[in-house]
Amino acid sequence: DVKVTQSSRYLVKRTGEKVFLECVQDMDHENMFWYRQDPGLGLRLIYFSYDVKMKEKGDIPEGYSVSREKKERFSLILESASTNQTSMYLCASRTSGAAFDTQYFGPGTRLTVL
Amino acid sequence: AQSVTQPDIHITVSEGASLELRCNYSYGATPYLFWYVQSPGQGLQLLLKYFSGDTLVQGIKGFEAEFKRSQSSFNLRKPSVHWSDAAEYFCAVRNPGGYQKVTFGTGTKLQVIP
């Protein structure tokens, strides 16, 4: 069964801290994504990666960076957390090829920045 | 740029009643279209998708959606709602010829009353 796991379900950090959110998939997917979910705004794409060490900015990359050193792992980094980054963060993965165009989501990490 | 509109933020239906969730998209050609469901505390799960061909698409959990090119719509339907269908539903669109980026609507929260 396909699986996307995220390192934490809930996380509380202080303003200015460096925050790492980890995502691991066991499906050998090429593509991985980080979204931010806020009430009334739906899901917004922060960054995505289509291969190891490759990354592309999404719609709201400011204040975030990513790392993909291994195919199965995609990390989201908040260099200096701010209160406006309090949100639910969702990781997703998908394989390449239109026939398999399904994103598989992790359960999410609810981050609170105080 | 592609966009998705879900005009209903919140819908309440009685158990056993029929359901229709609206989705309108903006895109120059026919995009790939998706409906995802998010149960409380969970990640998103794909209900169904449309790429081409038959405009009536069947999905999991008894859901279906109909693509109407003339109305730029992809509405989700279910003939008889169950209490377990209470969740948030997201419509999404992807450019078939472009990047991996998927654009999500803002979501419709479904409440089911006995």
Short mmCIF file of all heavy atoms in Angstrom, two decimals, chain B residues 19-85:
data_model
loop_
_atom_site.label_atom_id
_atom_site.label_comp_id
_atom_site.label_asym_id
_atom_site.label_seq_id
_atom_site.Cartn_x
_atom_site.Cartn_y
_atom_site.Cartn_z
N LEU B 19 -26.25 14.58 -3.12
CA LEU B 19 -25.25 15.62 -2.92
C LEU B 19 -24.69 16.07 -4.26
O LEU B 19 -24.45 15.25 -5.16
CB LEU B 19 -24.10 15.07 -2.08
CG LEU B 19 -22.85 15.95 -1.93
CD1 LEU B 19 -23.16 17.16 -1.05
CD2 LEU B 19 -21.70 15.14 -1.34
N GLU B 20 -24.49 17.37 -4.41
CA GLU B 20 -23.74 17.88 -5.55
C GLU B 20 -22.84 19.01 -5.06
O GLU B 20 -23.30 19.99 -4.48
CB GLU B 20 -24.64 18.39 -6.67
CG GLU B 20 -23.85 18.87 -7.89
CD GLU B 20 -24.69 19.10 -9.13
OE1 GLU B 20 -25.89 19.36 -9.00
OE2 GLU B 20 -24.13 19.03 -10.25
N LEU B 21 -21.55 18.86 -5.29
CA LEU B 21 -20.57 19.89 -4.96
C LEU B 21 -20.07 20.51 -6.25
O LEU B 21 -19.66 19.81 -7.16
CB LEU B 21 -19.39 19.28 -4.17
CG LEU B 21 -19.75 18.56 -2.87
CD1 LEU B 21 -18.49 18.08 -2.18
CD2 LEU B 21 -20.53 19.47 -1.94
N ARG B 22 -20.06 21.82 -6.28
CA ARG B 22 -19.75 22.53 -7.51
C ARG B 22 -18.27 22.86 -7.63
O ARG B 22 -17.61 23.17 -6.63
CB ARG B 22 -20.58 23.80 -7.60
CG ARG B 22 -22.07 23.56 -7.68
CD ARG B 22 -22.82 24.86 -7.84
NE ARG B 22 -22.78 25.68 -6.63
CZ ARG B 22 -23.11 26.96 -6.60
NH1 ARG B 22 -23.46 27.59 -7.70
NH2 ARG B 22 -23.08 27.63 -5.45
N CYS B 23 -17.81 22.82 -8.88
CA CYS B 23 -16.43 23.16 -9.18
C CYS B 23 -16.39 23.78 -10.57
O CYS B 23 -16.88 23.18 -11.53
CB CYS B 23 -15.53 21.94 -9.14
SG CYS B 23 -13.84 22.24 -9.72
N ASN B 24 -15.82 24.96 -10.67
CA ASN B 24 -15.60 25.60 -11.97
C ASN B 24 -14.12 25.89 -12.13
O ASN B 24 -13.45 26.25 -11.17
CB ASN B 24 -16.40 26.90 -12.08
CG ASN B 24 -17.88 26.64 -12.13
OD1 ASN B 24 -18.57 26.68 -11.12
ND2 ASN B 24 -18.38 26.33 -13.31
N TYR B 25 -13.63 25.73 -13.34
CA TYR B 25 -12.21 25.95 -13.56
C TYR B 25 -12.04 26.99 -14.66
O TYR B 25 -12.94 27.24 -15.47
CB TYR B 25 -11.51 24.65 -13.93
CG TYR B 25 -11.96 24.09 -15.27
CD1 TYR B 25 -11.32 24.46 -16.44
CD2 TYR B 25 -13.05 23.23 -15.35
CE1 TYR B 25 -11.74 23.99 -17.67
CE2 TYR B 25 -13.48 22.76 -16.57
CZ TYR B 25 -12.83 23.13 -17.73
OH TYR B 25 -13.26 22.67 -18.94
N SER B 26 -10.86 27.55 -14.68
CA SER B 26 -10.49 28.50 -15.72
C SER B 26 -9.20 28.02 -16.35
O SER B 26 -8.17 27.91 -15.67
CB SER B 26 -10.30 29.90 -15.13
OG SER B 26 -9.79 30.79 -16.11
N TYR B 27 -9.30 27.67 -17.63
CA TYR B 27 -8.12 27.18 -18.34
C TYR B 27 -8.44 27.20 -19.83
O TYR B 27 -9.57 26.97 -20.22
CB TYR B 27 -7.77 25.76 -17.88
CG TYR B 27 -6.53 25.20 -18.54
CD1 TYR B 27 -5.29 25.76 -18.30
CD2 TYR B 27 -6.62 24.12 -19.42
CE1 TYR B 27 -4.16 25.26 -18.92
CE2 TYR B 27 -5.49 23.61 -20.04
CZ TYR B 27 -4.27 24.19 -19.79
OH TYR B 27 -3.16 23.70 -20.41
N GLY B 28 -7.44 27.44 -20.66
CA GLY B 28 -7.68 27.63 -22.08
C GLY B 28 -8.14 26.38 -22.81
O GLY B 28 -8.92 26.44 -23.74
N ALA B 29 -7.65 25.25 -22.40
CA ALA B 29 -8.01 24.00 -23.06
C ALA B 29 -8.63 23.08 -22.02
O ALA B 29 -9.04 23.53 -20.95
CB ALA B 29 -6.77 23.37 -23.68
N THR B 30 -8.71 21.81 -22.31
CA THR B 30 -9.25 20.86 -21.34
C THR B 30 -8.13 20.41 -20.41
O THR B 30 -7.17 19.79 -20.86
CB THR B 30 -9.86 19.64 -22.04
OG1 THR B 30 -10.91 20.08 -22.88
CG2 THR B 30 -10.39 18.66 -21.02
N PRO B 31 -8.25 20.73 -19.14
CA PRO B 31 -7.20 20.32 -18.21
C PRO B 31 -7.46 18.93 -17.66
O PRO B 31 -8.48 18.30 -17.97
CB PRO B 31 -7.35 21.36 -17.10
CG PRO B 31 -8.82 21.63 -17.07
CD PRO B 31 -9.31 21.49 -18.48
N TYR B 32 -6.55 18.45 -16.88
CA TYR B 32 -6.81 17.28 -16.06
C TYR B 32 -7.56 17.78 -14.82
O TYR B 32 -7.19 18.80 -14.24
CB TYR B 32 -5.52 16.61 -15.63
CG TYR B 32 -4.73 15.97 -16.74
CD1 TYR B 32 -3.39 15.63 -16.55
CD2 TYR B 32 -5.30 15.69 -17.97
CE1 TYR B 32 -2.65 15.04 -17.57
CE2 TYR B 32 -4.57 15.10 -18.98
CZ TYR B 32 -3.25 14.78 -18.79
OH TYR B 32 -2.51 14.20 -19.78
N LEU B 33 -8.58 17.06 -14.40
CA LEU B 33 -9.43 17.48 -13.30
C LEU B 33 -9.50 16.40 -12.25
O LEU B 33 -9.55 15.20 -12.58
CB LEU B 33 -10.84 17.80 -13.82
CG LEU B 33 -10.92 18.99 -14.77
CD1 LEU B 33 -12.17 18.92 -15.62
CD2 LEU B 33 -10.87 20.30 -13.99
N PHE B 34 -9.54 16.82 -10.99
CA PHE B 34 -9.50 15.89 -9.87
C PHE B 34 -10.47 16.34 -8.78
O PHE B 34 -10.74 17.53 -8.62
CB PHE B 34 -8.09 15.86 -9.24
CG PHE B 34 -6.97 15.64 -10.21
CD1 PHE B 34 -6.43 16.71 -10.91
CD2 PHE B 34 -6.45 14.38 -10.41
CE1 PHE B 34 -5.38 16.51 -11.81
CE2 PHE B 34 -5.39 14.18 -11.29
CZ PHE B 34 -4.87 15.25 -11.99
N TRP B 35 -10.95 15.36 -8.02
CA TRP B 35 -11.60 15.62 -6.75
C TRP B 35 -10.87 14.81 -5.67
O TRP B 35 -10.64 13.61 -5.83
CB TRP B 35 -13.07 15.21 -6.77
CG TRP B 35 -13.99 16.24 -7.30
CD1 TRP B 35 -14.53 16.32 -8.55
CD2 TRP B 35 -14.51 17.38 -6.59
NE1 TRP B 35 -15.34 17.42 -8.66
CE2 TRP B 35 -15.35 18.09 -7.47
CE3 TRP B 35 -14.36 17.86 -5.28
CZ2 TRP B 35 -16.03 19.24 -7.10
CZ3 TRP B 35 -15.03 19.00 -4.91
CH2 TRP B 35 -15.86 19.69 -5.82
N TYR B 36 -10.53 15.54 -4.58
CA TYR B 36 -9.91 14.91 -3.43
C TYR B 36 -10.82 15.10 -2.22
O TYR B 36 -11.57 16.09 -2.13
CB TYR B 36 -8.56 15.55 -3.11
CG TYR B 36 -7.43 15.15 -4.02
CD1 TYR B 36 -7.22 15.81 -5.24
CD2 TYR B 36 -6.55 14.12 -3.67
CE1 TYR B 36 -6.16 15.44 -6.07
CE2 TYR B 36 -5.49 13.77 -4.49
CZ TYR B 36 -5.31 14.43 -5.69
OH TYR B 36 -4.26 14.07 -6.51
N VAL B 37 -10.70 14.19 -1.25
CA VAL B 37 -11.43 14.31 0.00
C VAL B 37 -10.45 14.30 1.15
O VAL B 37 -9.44 13.58 1.11
CB VAL B 37 -12.47 13.17 0.16
CG1 VAL B 37 -11.81 11.80 0.18
CG2 VAL B 37 -13.29 13.37 1.42
N GLN B 38 -10.74 15.13 2.15
CA GLN B 38 -9.90 15.18 3.35
C GLN B 38 -10.78 14.97 4.57
O GLN B 38 -11.57 15.83 4.94
CB GLN B 38 -9.17 16.52 3.45
CG GLN B 38 -8.19 16.60 4.61
CD GLN B 38 -7.50 17.95 4.68
OE1 GLN B 38 -8.06 18.98 4.34
NE2 GLN B 38 -6.23 17.95 5.11
N SER B 39 -10.62 13.82 5.20
CA SER B 39 -11.34 13.56 6.44
C SER B 39 -10.62 14.27 7.58
O SER B 39 -9.42 14.56 7.48
CB SER B 39 -11.41 12.06 6.70
OG SER B 39 -12.13 11.43 5.66
N PRO B 40 -11.32 14.56 8.66
CA PRO B 40 -10.71 15.31 9.77
C PRO B 40 -9.40 14.68 10.24
O PRO B 40 -9.33 13.48 10.50
CB PRO B 40 -11.78 15.25 10.85
CG PRO B 40 -13.06 15.13 10.11
CD PRO B 40 -12.75 14.28 8.91
N GLY B 41 -8.35 15.50 10.31
CA GLY B 41 -7.07 15.03 10.79
C GLY B 41 -6.28 14.18 9.82
O GLY B 41 -5.24 13.61 10.19
N GLN B 42 -6.74 14.11 8.59
CA GLN B 42 -6.08 13.25 7.60
C GLN B 42 -5.53 14.06 6.43
O GLN B 42 -5.87 15.23 6.26
CB GLN B 42 -7.09 12.23 7.05
CG GLN B 42 -7.77 11.37 8.09
CD GLN B 42 -6.80 10.46 8.78
OE1 GLN B 42 -5.94 9.84 8.16
NE2 GLN B 42 -6.91 10.37 10.09
N GLY B 43 -4.69 13.40 5.65
CA GLY B 43 -4.27 13.99 4.40
C GLY B 43 -5.36 13.86 3.35
O GLY B 43 -6.48 13.42 3.64
N LEU B 44 -5.07 14.26 2.13
CA LEU B 44 -6.06 14.19 1.06
C LEU B 44 -6.02 12.84 0.36
O LEU B 44 -4.94 12.27 0.18
CB LEU B 44 -5.80 15.29 0.02
CG LEU B 44 -6.37 16.67 0.33
CD1 LEU B 44 -5.63 17.32 1.48
CD2 LEU B 44 -6.32 17.55 -0.91
N GLN B 45 -7.17 12.38 -0.05
CA GLN B 45 -7.28 11.13 -0.79
C GLN B 45 -8.01 11.39 -2.11
O GLN B 45 -9.04 12.08 -2.13
CB GLN B 45 -8.06 10.10 0.04
CG GLN B 45 -8.22 8.75 -0.65
CD GLN B 45 -9.09 7.80 0.14
OE1 GLN B 45 -9.90 8.21 0.97
NE2 GLN B 45 -8.95 6.52 -0.12
N LEU B 46 -7.50 10.82 -3.19
CA LEU B 46 -8.12 11.01 -4.49
C LEU B 46 -9.45 10.26 -4.58
O LEU B 46 -9.51 9.07 -4.29
CB LEU B 46 -7.18 10.52 -5.58
CG LEU B 46 -7.70 10.69 -7.01
CD1 LEU B 46 -7.70 12.17 -7.40
CD2 LEU B 46 -6.86 9.88 -7.99
N LEU B 47 -10.50 10.98 -4.98
CA LEU B 47 -11.81 10.35 -5.21
C LEU B 47 -11.95 9.91 -6.67
O LEU B 47 -12.43 8.81 -6.94
CB LEU B 47 -12.94 11.34 -4.90
CG LEU B 47 -13.30 11.57 -3.44
CD1 LEU B 47 -14.37 12.66 -3.36
CD2 LEU B 47 -13.78 10.30 -2.78
N LEU B 48 -11.58 10.79 -7.58
CA LEU B 48 -11.69 10.48 -9.00
C LEU B 48 -10.92 11.52 -9.80
O LEU B 48 -10.54 12.56 -9.28
CB LEU B 48 -13.17 10.45 -9.44
CG LEU B 48 -14.08 11.59 -8.99
CD1 LEU B 48 -13.91 12.84 -9.83
CD2 LEU B 48 -15.54 11.15 -9.02
N LYS B 49 -10.74 11.21 -11.09
CA LYS B 49 -10.01 12.12 -11.97
C LYS B 49 -10.53 12.00 -13.39
O LYS B 49 -11.07 10.96 -13.79
CB LYS B 49 -8.51 11.83 -11.93
CG LYS B 49 -8.14 10.40 -12.32
CD LYS B 49 -6.66 10.13 -12.03
CE LYS B 49 -6.31 8.68 -12.32
NZ LYS B 49 -4.92 8.36 -11.90
N TYR B 50 -10.37 13.06 -14.13
CA TYR B 50 -10.78 13.10 -15.54
C TYR B 50 -9.61 13.57 -16.38
O TYR B 50 -9.03 14.63 -16.11
CB TYR B 50 -11.97 14.03 -15.74
CG TYR B 50 -12.32 14.22 -17.20
CD1 TYR B 50 -13.03 13.23 -17.89
CD2 TYR B 50 -11.90 15.35 -17.90
CE1 TYR B 50 -13.32 13.38 -19.23
CE2 TYR B 50 -12.19 15.50 -19.24
CZ TYR B 50 -12.89 14.52 -19.90
OH TYR B 50 -13.18 14.66 -21.24
N PHE B 51 -9.30 12.78 -17.41
CA PHE B 51 -8.27 13.19 -18.36
C PHE B 51 -8.87 13.44 -19.73
O PHE B 51 -8.60 14.42 -20.40
CB PHE B 51 -7.18 12.13 -18.49
CG PHE B 51 -6.33 11.96 -17.26
CD1 PHE B 51 -5.54 10.84 -17.10
CD2 PHE B 51 -6.31 12.92 -16.26
CE1 PHE B 51 -4.75 10.69 -15.96
CE2 PHE B 51 -5.54 12.78 -15.13
CZ PHE B 51 -4.75 11.65 -14.99
N SER B 52 -9.69 12.50 -20.18
CA SER B 52 -10.31 12.61 -21.51
C SER B 52 -11.37 11.52 -21.61
O SER B 52 -11.53 10.70 -20.70
CB SER B 52 -9.27 12.43 -22.63
OG SER B 52 -8.71 11.14 -22.59
N GLY B 53 -12.09 11.51 -22.75
CA GLY B 53 -13.05 10.44 -22.98
C GLY B 53 -14.39 10.71 -22.33
O GLY B 53 -14.88 11.84 -22.31
N ASP B 54 -15.00 9.66 -21.80
CA ASP B 54 -16.32 9.74 -21.20
C ASP B 54 -16.36 10.85 -20.16
O ASP B 54 -15.54 10.88 -19.24
CB ASP B 54 -16.67 8.40 -20.55
CG ASP B 54 -18.14 8.31 -20.17
OD1 ASP B 54 -18.82 9.35 -20.15
OD2 ASP B 54 -18.59 7.19 -19.88
N THR B 55 -17.32 11.75 -20.31
CA THR B 55 -17.36 12.92 -19.42
C THR B 55 -17.94 12.61 -18.05
O THR B 55 -17.88 13.45 -17.15
CB THR B 55 -18.16 14.05 -20.08
OG1 THR B 55 -19.47 13.56 -20.39
CG2 THR B 55 -17.49 14.53 -21.36
N LEU B 56 -18.51 11.46 -17.88
CA LEU B 56 -19.02 11.03 -16.57
C LEU B 56 -18.01 10.06 -15.98
O LEU B 56 -17.78 8.99 -16.53
CB LEU B 56 -20.39 10.39 -16.69
CG LEU B 56 -21.09 10.05 -15.38
CD1 LEU B 56 -21.35 11.31 -14.55
CD2 LEU B 56 -22.40 9.32 -15.65
N VAL B 57 -17.44 10.44 -14.86
CA VAL B 57 -16.35 9.67 -14.26
C VAL B 57 -16.83 9.07 -12.94
O VAL B 57 -17.42 9.76 -12.12
CB VAL B 57 -15.14 10.58 -14.00
CG1 VAL B 57 -14.00 9.79 -13.39
CG2 VAL B 57 -14.69 11.26 -15.28
N GLN B 58 -16.54 7.79 -12.78
CA GLN B 58 -16.89 7.12 -11.52
C GLN B 58 -15.66 7.09 -10.61
O GLN B 58 -14.54 6.89 -11.06
CB GLN B 58 -17.35 5.70 -11.80
CG GLN B 58 -18.56 5.61 -12.72
CD GLN B 58 -19.80 6.26 -12.14
OE1 GLN B 58 -20.07 6.16 -10.95
NE2 GLN B 58 -20.56 6.97 -12.98
N GLY B 59 -15.90 7.27 -9.32
CA GLY B 59 -14.80 7.23 -8.38
C GLY B 59 -15.04 6.26 -7.26
O GLY B 59 -15.94 5.41 -7.32
N ILE B 60 -14.26 6.42 -6.21
CA ILE B 60 -14.41 5.55 -5.05
C ILE B 60 -15.53 6.06 -4.15
O ILE B 60 -15.99 7.20 -4.30
CB ILE B 60 -13.09 5.46 -4.26
CG1 ILE B 60 -12.68 6.83 -3.71
CG2 ILE B 60 -11.99 4.87 -5.13
CD1 ILE B 60 -11.51 6.78 -2.75
N LYS B 61 -15.97 5.23 -3.25
CA LYS B 61 -16.96 5.57 -2.23
C LYS B 61 -18.30 6.00 -2.84
O LYS B 61 -19.07 6.71 -2.19
CB LYS B 61 -16.44 6.68 -1.31
CG LYS B 61 -15.12 6.37 -0.66
CD LYS B 61 -14.71 7.44 0.35
CE LYS B 61 -13.35 7.10 0.93
NZ LYS B 61 -13.05 7.80 2.17
N GLY B 62 -18.60 5.58 -4.05
CA GLY B 62 -19.89 5.87 -4.67
C GLY B 62 -20.02 7.25 -5.28
O GLY B 62 -21.11 7.67 -5.66
N PHE B 63 -18.91 7.97 -5.40
CA PHE B 63 -18.94 9.32 -5.99
C PHE B 63 -18.77 9.26 -7.51
O PHE B 63 -18.15 8.34 -8.04
CB PHE B 63 -17.82 10.19 -5.40
CG PHE B 63 -18.10 10.67 -4.01
CD1 PHE B 63 -17.67 9.93 -2.91
CD2 PHE B 63 -18.80 11.84 -3.79
CE1 PHE B 63 -17.93 10.36 -1.61
CE2 PHE B 63 -19.05 12.29 -2.51
CZ PHE B 63 -18.62 11.54 -1.41
N GLU B 64 -19.33 10.26 -8.17
CA GLU B 64 -19.12 10.45 -9.58
C GLU B 64 -19.01 11.95 -9.87
O GLU B 64 -19.41 12.78 -9.05
CB GLU B 64 -20.27 9.85 -10.42
CG GLU B 64 -21.59 10.55 -10.23
CD GLU B 64 -22.70 9.95 -11.08
OE1 GLU B 64 -22.62 8.76 -11.45
OE2 GLU B 64 -23.66 10.69 -11.38
N ALA B 65 -18.44 12.28 -11.02
CA ALA B 65 -18.33 13.67 -11.42
C ALA B 65 -18.55 13.77 -12.92
O ALA B 65 -18.22 12.84 -13.66
CB ALA B 65 -16.97 14.25 -11.03
N GLU B 66 -19.08 14.88 -13.34
CA GLU B 66 -19.35 15.08 -14.76
C GLU B 66 -18.62 16.31 -15.26
O GLU B 66 -18.74 17.41 -14.71
CB GLU B 66 -20.84 15.24 -15.02
CG GLU B 66 -21.18 15.32 -16.51
CD GLU B 66 -22.66 15.26 -16.79
OE1 GLU B 66 -23.46 15.39 -15.85
OE2 GLU B 66 -23.02 15.09 -17.97
N PHE B 67 -17.83 16.12 -16.30
CA PHE B 67 -17.12 17.21 -16.95
C PHE B 67 -18.04 17.84 -17.99
O PHE B 67 -18.54 17.16 -18.88
CB PHE B 67 -15.85 16.68 -17.61
CG PHE B 67 -15.17 17.66 -18.53
CD1 PHE B 67 -14.71 18.87 -18.04
CD2 PHE B 67 -15.01 17.38 -19.88
CE1 PHE B 67 -14.08 19.78 -18.88
CE2 PHE B 67 -14.38 18.28 -20.73
CZ PHE B 67 -13.92 19.49 -20.23
N LYS B 68 -18.23 19.15 -17.87
CA LYS B 68 -19.04 19.89 -18.84
C LYS B 68 -18.18 21.01 -19.41
O LYS B 68 -18.00 22.06 -18.77
CB LYS B 68 -20.31 20.44 -18.20
CG LYS B 68 -21.30 19.37 -17.81
CD LYS B 68 -22.61 19.97 -17.31
CE LYS B 68 -23.62 18.86 -16.97
NZ LYS B 68 -24.90 19.43 -16.47
N ARG B 69 -17.70 20.80 -20.61
CA ARG B 69 -16.80 21.76 -21.24
C ARG B 69 -17.47 23.12 -21.42
O ARG B 69 -16.86 24.15 -21.18
CB ARG B 69 -16.33 21.24 -22.60
CG ARG B 69 -15.28 22.09 -23.28
CD ARG B 69 -15.10 21.65 -24.73
NE ARG B 69 -14.84 20.23 -24.81
CZ ARG B 69 -13.63 19.70 -24.69
NH1 ARG B 69 -12.58 20.47 -24.51
NH2 ARG B 69 -13.48 18.39 -24.78
N SER B 70 -18.74 23.10 -21.82
CA SER B 70 -19.44 24.36 -22.13
C SER B 70 -19.61 25.23 -20.89
O SER B 70 -19.72 26.46 -20.99
CB SER B 70 -20.81 24.06 -22.73
OG SER B 70 -21.60 23.32 -21.82
N GLN B 71 -19.61 24.58 -19.72
CA GLN B 71 -19.79 25.33 -18.47
C GLN B 71 -18.49 25.42 -17.67
O GLN B 71 -18.49 25.99 -16.57
CB GLN B 71 -20.88 24.66 -17.62
CG GLN B 71 -22.24 24.64 -18.30
CD GLN B 71 -23.28 23.87 -17.49
OE1 GLN B 71 -23.12 23.66 -16.29
NE2 GLN B 71 -24.35 23.46 -18.15
N SER B 72 -17.43 24.85 -18.19
CA SER B 72 -16.15 24.80 -17.46
C SER B 72 -16.37 24.29 -16.04
O SER B 72 -15.87 24.87 -15.07
CB SER B 72 -15.48 26.18 -17.43
OG SER B 72 -15.17 26.62 -18.73
N SER B 73 -17.12 23.21 -15.96
CA SER B 73 -17.45 22.68 -14.64
C SER B 73 -17.08 21.22 -14.51
O SER B 73 -16.98 20.49 -15.50
CB SER B 73 -18.93 22.87 -14.34
OG SER B 73 -19.72 22.02 -15.17
N PHE B 74 -16.90 20.81 -13.28
CA PHE B 74 -16.59 19.41 -12.95
C PHE B 74 -17.22 19.16 -11.60
O PHE B 74 -16.56 19.06 -10.58
CB PHE B 74 -15.08 19.21 -12.95
CG PHE B 74 -14.63 17.77 -12.83
CD1 PHE B 74 -15.06 16.82 -13.75
CD2 PHE B 74 -13.75 17.38 -11.83
CE1 PHE B 74 -14.64 15.49 -13.65
CE2 PHE B 74 -13.32 16.06 -11.73
CZ PHE B 74 -13.76 15.13 -12.64
N ASN B 75 -18.53 19.01 -11.56
CA ASN B 75 -19.26 18.88 -10.30
C ASN B 75 -19.24 17.45 -9.79
O ASN B 75 -19.37 16.49 -10.56
CB ASN B 75 -20.70 19.35 -10.47
CG ASN B 75 -20.79 20.84 -10.74
OD1 ASN B 75 -19.81 21.57 -10.61
ND2 ASN B 75 -21.97 21.29 -11.14
N LEU B 76 -19.13 17.33 -8.50
CA LEU B 76 -19.09 16.03 -7.83
C LEU B 76 -20.47 15.68 -7.32
O LEU B 76 -21.15 16.54 -6.74
CB LEU B 76 -18.10 16.10 -6.67
CG LEU B 76 -17.87 14.82 -5.86
CD1 LEU B 76 -17.08 13.80 -6.69
CD2 LEU B 76 -17.13 15.13 -4.57
N ARG B 77 -20.88 14.41 -7.48
CA ARG B 77 -22.22 14.00 -7.06
C ARG B 77 -22.16 12.68 -6.32
O ARG B 77 -21.26 11.85 -6.54
CB ARG B 77 -23.14 13.87 -8.27
CG ARG B 77 -23.29 15.14 -9.08
CD ARG B 77 -24.45 15.05 -10.03
NE ARG B 77 -24.25 14.02 -11.04
CZ ARG B 77 -24.12 14.29 -12.34
NH1 ARG B 77 -24.12 15.53 -12.77
NH2 ARG B 77 -23.99 13.30 -13.20
N LYS B 78 -23.17 12.52 -5.47
CA LYS B 78 -23.40 11.22 -4.84
C LYS B 78 -24.89 11.09 -4.61
O LYS B 78 -25.52 12.01 -4.07
CB LYS B 78 -22.63 11.10 -3.52
CG LYS B 78 -22.72 9.71 -2.91
CD LYS B 78 -21.74 9.52 -1.77
CE LYS B 78 -21.79 8.07 -1.28
NZ LYS B 78 -20.82 7.81 -0.18
N PRO B 79 -25.49 9.97 -5.00
CA PRO B 79 -26.95 9.85 -4.91
C PRO B 79 -27.49 9.76 -3.49
O PRO B 79 -28.60 10.21 -3.22
CB PRO B 79 -27.26 8.57 -5.71
CG PRO B 79 -25.96 7.87 -5.84
CD PRO B 79 -24.87 8.86 -5.71
N SER B 80 -26.70 9.19 -2.58
CA SER B 80 -27.19 9.01 -1.22
C SER B 80 -26.02 9.15 -0.25
O SER B 80 -25.12 8.30 -0.22
CB SER B 80 -27.85 7.64 -1.06
OG SER B 80 -28.29 7.43 0.27
N VAL B 81 -26.03 10.20 0.53
CA VAL B 81 -24.90 10.52 1.40
C VAL B 81 -24.95 9.71 2.70
O VAL B 81 -26.03 9.52 3.28
CB VAL B 81 -24.90 12.04 1.69
CG1 VAL B 81 -23.92 12.38 2.80
CG2 VAL B 81 -24.55 12.82 0.45
N HIS B 82 -23.79 9.30 3.15
CA HIS B 82 -23.65 8.56 4.40
C HIS B 82 -22.96 9.47 5.41
O HIS B 82 -22.20 10.37 5.04
CB HIS B 82 -22.82 7.30 4.13
CG HIS B 82 -22.76 6.36 5.30
ND1 HIS B 82 -21.68 6.31 6.16
CD2 HIS B 82 -23.63 5.42 5.74
CE1 HIS B 82 -21.89 5.40 7.07
NE2 HIS B 82 -23.06 4.84 6.85
N TRP B 83 -23.19 9.21 6.69
CA TRP B 83 -22.59 10.08 7.72
C TRP B 83 -21.07 10.11 7.59
O TRP B 83 -20.42 11.12 7.89
CB TRP B 83 -22.99 9.62 9.13
CG TRP B 83 -22.49 8.25 9.49
CD1 TRP B 83 -23.17 7.08 9.37
CD2 TRP B 83 -21.20 7.91 10.03
NE1 TRP B 83 -22.39 6.04 9.78
CE2 TRP B 83 -21.18 6.50 10.19
CE3 TRP B 83 -20.07 8.65 10.38
CZ2 TRP B 83 -20.06 5.83 10.70
CZ3 TRP B 83 -18.96 7.98 10.88
CH2 TRP B 83 -18.97 6.59 11.03
N SER B 84 -20.48 9.03 7.11
CA SER B 84 -19.02 8.96 6.99
C SER B 84 -18.49 9.84 5.86
O SER B 84 -17.28 9.98 5.71
CB SER B 84 -18.57 7.52 6.77
OG SER B 84 -19.14 7.01 5.58
N ASP B 85 -19.38 10.40 5.05
CA ASP B 85 -18.94 11.30 3.97
C ASP B 85 -18.63 12.70 4.47
O ASP B 85 -18.13 13.54 3.71
CB ASP B 85 -20.01 11.38 2.87
CG ASP B 85 -20.20 10.07 2.14
OD1 ASP B 85 -19.19 9.36 1.93
OD2 ASP B 85 -21.35 9.74 1.79
#
